[in-house]
């Protein structure tokens, strides 16, 4: 955390932001309180970039809309029932919410919405002390009823009220604790961790969509490993994505093999490194990160002990792809993400055949064709999957993949591999063979595609000759 003087200066700069100052003046003129709250205050104190501007006020939703309308470019309902109004002021999008003092019935995470009257009361119902911070405006006064600043300095995540009450009110907060360990690099205090462990099964009342969103935010942190380890250690992962803790395969003194769980975490770390190296400054790649942490989830189901003490995992790539598709579907991920992750897992072992034997141009073309739009992610995942401590082996695999990428680039330049198609189209095939649409046309097109992959571009005349020879041989 930055020095006290730097923190105060950052808070002052935040309060002087044009959109913040305009809102503060407008609410003061209307006789209402206003405070910046939560994330933006926390991030300013930590010296992190502030992206979202969230406010809280004693004004009710209708009053918020009336105060904001004259100074905003646009105003909309985010959730009037929950007291939140959204607005755009210049380049800033803001959300303003009425003080809340919600109550929960213990069977659902949806609260009975009750508006509150004080800022301090609103802050004490929030998830963690480091988020229960507010900056009163326009006077720029920090409000911290649960010693959140002390926890920021210590790098500790804990709850304003007892963790049993907080997580009982909203079990999703347990997953948010894991996410903040990844995003902020903080640790969860012992009492909070114990509550997460004892109450892990309460996450079942949270919708799959909310769990998915929280898991996605965790994975897109700079260092998601810490958060994932916390989910596994507390048992939360057993409830929301059990395939990850299942990677902790038992080993005995006679059967030695890699720790698949730790290996998968390392693959995730390394995939993120390749992602940042190849696409610096771009948004995190959720598909790549999901594929990295899930790429070996087929191993527990396919593990076999072989004679001599060896361990095999035959077809764990195919089994893992099916398991990933099933789990991500249950978590309500979109079809595109599910298909991409499953395809990467299915193909993640393909390269290792290249390292053991020289591939023909035909094999390289098939590798590119099968990867399709996932080729670059497959490059990164396959490189990340090399976690051996044997430097000679790691170098051999690295050099082999360098060679494969070079050959792909060269073939692309020669043949425009991104658009590998037969030399003849369906209309031409039907005209040459004198046939109508049907199964024969499909078989002919597959024959021509195999020719194209095996031998590269043939040209229309040679493709026609080969097609006729194939047709006659049938």
């Amino acid at each position: 955390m930055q020095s006290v003087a730097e923190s105060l200066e950052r808070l002052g700069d935040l309060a002087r932001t044009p959109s913040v100052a305009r809102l503060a003046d407008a609410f003061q003129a209307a006789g209402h309180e206003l405070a910046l709250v939560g994330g933006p205050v926390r991030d300013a104190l930590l010296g992190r970039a502030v992206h979202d501007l969230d406010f809280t006020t004693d004004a009710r939703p209708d009053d918020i809309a009336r105060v904001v309308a004259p100074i905003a470019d646009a105003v909309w309902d985010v959730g009037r029932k929950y007291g939140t109004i959204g607005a755009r002021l210049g380049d800033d999008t803001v959300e303003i919410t009425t003080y809340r003092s919600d109550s929960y019935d213990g069977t659902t995470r949806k609260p009975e919405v009750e508006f509150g009257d004080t800022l301090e009361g609103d802050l004490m119902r929030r998830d963690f002390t480091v988020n229960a911070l507010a900056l009163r405006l326009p006077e720029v006064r920090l409000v911290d009823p649960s010693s959140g600043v002390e926890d920021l300095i210590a790098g500790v995540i804990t709850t304003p009220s007892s963790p049993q009450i907080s997580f009982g009110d909203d079990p999703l907060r347990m997953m948010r604790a894991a996410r903040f360990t990844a995003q902020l690099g903080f640790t969860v205090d012992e009492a909070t961790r114990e509550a997460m462990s004892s109450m892990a099964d309460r996450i079942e009342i949270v919708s799959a969509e909310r769990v998915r969103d929280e898991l996605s935010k965790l994975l897109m942190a700079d260092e998601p490993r810490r958060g994932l380890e916390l989910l596994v250690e507390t048992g939360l992962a057993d409830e929301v994505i059990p395939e990850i803790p299942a990677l902790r395969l038992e080993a005995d003194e006679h059967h030695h093999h890699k720790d698949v769980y730790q290996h998968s975490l390392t693959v995730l770390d390394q995939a993120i490194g390749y992602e940042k190296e190849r696409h610096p400054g771009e948004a995190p790649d959720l598909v790549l990160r999901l594929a990295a942490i899930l790429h070996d989830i087929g191993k527990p189901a396919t593990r076999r002990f072989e004679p001599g003490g060896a361990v095999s995992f035959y077809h764990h790539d195919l089994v893992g792809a099916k398991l990933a598709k099933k789990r991500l579907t249950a978590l309500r991920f979109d079809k595109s993400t599910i298909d991409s992750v499953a395809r990467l897992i299915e193909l993640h072992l393909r390269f290792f055949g290249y390292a053991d034997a020289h591939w023909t141009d035909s094999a390289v073309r098939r590798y590119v064709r099968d990867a399709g739009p996932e080729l670059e992610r497959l490059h990164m995942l396959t490189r990340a999957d090399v976690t051996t401590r044997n430097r000679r082996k790691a170098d051999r695999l690295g050099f082999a993949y360098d060679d494969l990428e070079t050959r792909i680039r060269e073939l692309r330049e020669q043949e425009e591999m991104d658009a590998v198609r037969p030399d003849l189209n369906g209309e031409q095939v039907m005209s040459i063979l004198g046939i109508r649409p049907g199964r024969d046309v499909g078989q002919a097109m597959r024959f021509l595609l195999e020719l194209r992959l095996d031998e590269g571009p043939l040209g229309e005349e040679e493709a026609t000759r080969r097609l006729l020879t194939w047709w006659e041989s049938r």
Side-chain angles (χ1 to χ4, degrees):
M1 185 170 167
Q2 57 195 348
S3 70
V4 173
E6 290 173 325
S7 296
L8 292 174
E9 183 177 352
R10 287 265 296 175
L11 289 176
D13 290 342
L14 190 57
R16 288 188 291 273
T17 301
S19 55
V20 175
R22 288 169 65 192
L23 281 171
D25 290 342
F27 274 83
Q28 184 181 50
H32 291 295
E33 298 176 2
L34 184 71
L36 261 171
V37 68
V41 181
R42 178 199 68 221
D43 290 341
L45 289 169
L46 289 173
R48 292 163 55 94
V50 174
H51 299 291
D52 301 317
L53 293 176
D54 297 323
F55 297 84
T56 188
T57 178
D58 62 341
R60 296 310 192 244
D62 289 344
D63 296 323
I64 295 172
R66 278 194 292 270
V67 171
V68 172
I71 62 172
D73 300 306
V75 179
W76 59 88
D77 277 6
V78 174
R80 190 176 291 256
K81 173 184 175 182
Y82 299 99
T84 304
I85 300 296
R88 189 177 72 252
L89 289 85
D91 294 332
D92 293 321
T93 298
V94 305
E95 289 188 1
I96 308 164
T97 303
T98 304
Y99 296 154
R100 298 261 294 272
S101 58
D102 302 337
S103 60
Y104 294 79
D105 61 12
T107 60
T108 173
R109 68 170 301 273
K110 294 181 179 179
E112 291 293 326
V113 178
E114 297 177 10
F115 295 139
D117 298 314
T118 68
L119 175 58
E120 289 76 10
D122 178 90
L123 293 175
M124 290 302 293
R125 54 163 286 278
R126 293 179 179 262
D127 53 4
F128 305 110
T129 61
V130 296
N131 295 329
L133 299 167
L135 189 65
R136 280 195 183 274
L137 301 168
E139 61 265 40
V140 192
R141 181 166 62 85
L142 184 65
V143 180
D144 177 17
S146 59
S147 302
V149 172
E150 291 181 16
D151 290 334
L152 278 180
I153 294 170
V156 172
I157 292 175
T158 187
T159 55
S161 58
S162 79
Q164 289 78 11
I165 293 174
S166 182
F167 297 155
D169 285 346
D170 185 358
L172 190 64
R173 290 172 174 172
M174 294 186 287
M175 288 197 68
R176 282 207 290 270
R179 191 235 301 179
F180 284 123
T181 65
Q183 288 181 333
L184 303 177
F186 286 10
T187 58
V188 175
D189 87 307
E190 192 57 36
T192 304
R193 178 187 285 263
E194 288 176 2
M196 291 172 67
S197 297
S198 64
M199 301 177 69
D201 61 346
R202 292 283 296 149
I203 200 72
E204 67 181 7
I205 72 171
V206 180
S207 71
E209 290 83 359
R210 298 299 300 276
V211 170
R212 173 204 64 206
D213 290 347
E214 205 57 52
L215 180 64
S216 298
K217 290 175 183 177
L218 189 162
L219 283 170
M220 290 191 289
D222 276 347
E223 298 180 7
R225 181 178 189 139
R226 295 181 61 161
L228 289 171
E229 288 176 327
L230 183 61
L231 290 181
V232 171
E233 291 163 6
T234 57
L236 274 163
D238 289 304
E239 305 294 332
V240 300
I241 189 160
E243 292 78 7
I244 294 178
L247 293 170
R248 297 177 296 179
L249 298 177
E250 294 179 4
D252 60 41
E253 59 181 333
H254 303 296
H255 298 96
H256 303 290
H257 55 83
K258 286 182 181 178
D259 182 326
V260 183
Y261 170 62
Q262 290 298 327
H263 164 74
S264 298
L265 290 171
T266 300
V267 171
L268 174 61
D269 289 340
Q270 295 185 166
I272 292 171
Y274 286 120
E275 174 193 320
K276 291 179 178 179
E277 178 183 306
R278 295 190 178 212
H279 301 284
E282 294 188 15
D285 188 340
L286 179 61
V287 168
L288 176 63
R289 297 179 182 206
L290 282 166
I293 193 60
L294 299 176
H295 78 285
D296 273 348
I297 60 172
K299 281 190 171 181
T302 58
R303 182 173 62 158
R304 298 291 182 271
F305 295 120
E306 306 292 349
V311 180
S312 68
F313 302 97
Y314 294 124
H315 305 303
H316 78 267
D317 46 347
L318 302 179
V319 172
K322 292 179 181 178
L323 290 173
K325 184 170 286 192
K326 182 177 180 180
R327 176 55 55 195
L328 296 181
T329 299
L331 288 171
R332 304 291 194 272
F333 279 90
D334 62 275
K335 186 177 185 301
S336 175
T337 296
I338 294 170
D339 290 346
S340 293
V341 172
R343 190 63 169 156
L344 287 167
I345 294 173
E346 181 182 342
L347 294 175
H348 82 274
L349 291 181
R350 183 80 64 88
F351 157 73
F352 293 96
Y354 183 91
D356 296 331
H358 182 74
W359 281 5
T360 62
D361 285 351
S362 173
V364 175
R365 292 187 190 100
R366 281 182 168 80
Y367 186 78
V368 173
R369 179 194 66 180
D370 291 347
E374 304 307 326
L375 181 62
E376 186 180 19
R377 285 176 173 142
L378 186 59
H379 288 332
M380 292 188 279
L381 176 61
T382 303
R383 287 183 180 275
D385 198 20
V386 179
T387 62
T388 178
R389 295 181 182 178
N390 184 323
R391 177 48 52 193
R392 181 177 296 179
K393 181 179 180 181
D395 288 344
R396 180 176 66 84
L397 291 169
F399 293 147
Y401 212 91
D402 289 342
D403 182 65
L404 175 59
E405 289 200 75
T406 298
R407 289 183 64 191
I408 290 171
R409 284 195 298 272
E410 291 172 347
L411 283 170
R412 272 184 164 155
E413 292 170 3
Q414 296 168 15
E415 305 173 10
E416 298 181 352
M417 283 182 61
D418 281 335
V420 174
R421 296 186 181 87
D423 293 277
L424 303 171
N425 61 36
E427 294 290 337
Q428 290 172 306
V429 166
M430 288 188 286
S431 175
I432 292 166
L433 300 182
I435 59 177
R436 298 173 63 81
R439 183 179 179 185
D440 286 340
V441 177
Q443 290 180 341
M445 293 300 293
R446 282 192 291 276
F447 165 75
L448 290 170
L449 179 58
E450 290 299 317
L451 272 181
R452 174 69 174 79
L453 290 167
D454 285 338
E455 302 182 31
L458 298 174
E460 188 174 323
E461 182 178 345
E462 177 63 13
T464 299
R465 187 183 71 77
R466 297 284 194 95
L467 176 64
L468 288 170
T469 300
W470 169 80
W471 182 250
E472 291 167 5
S473 71
R474 294 174 76 247

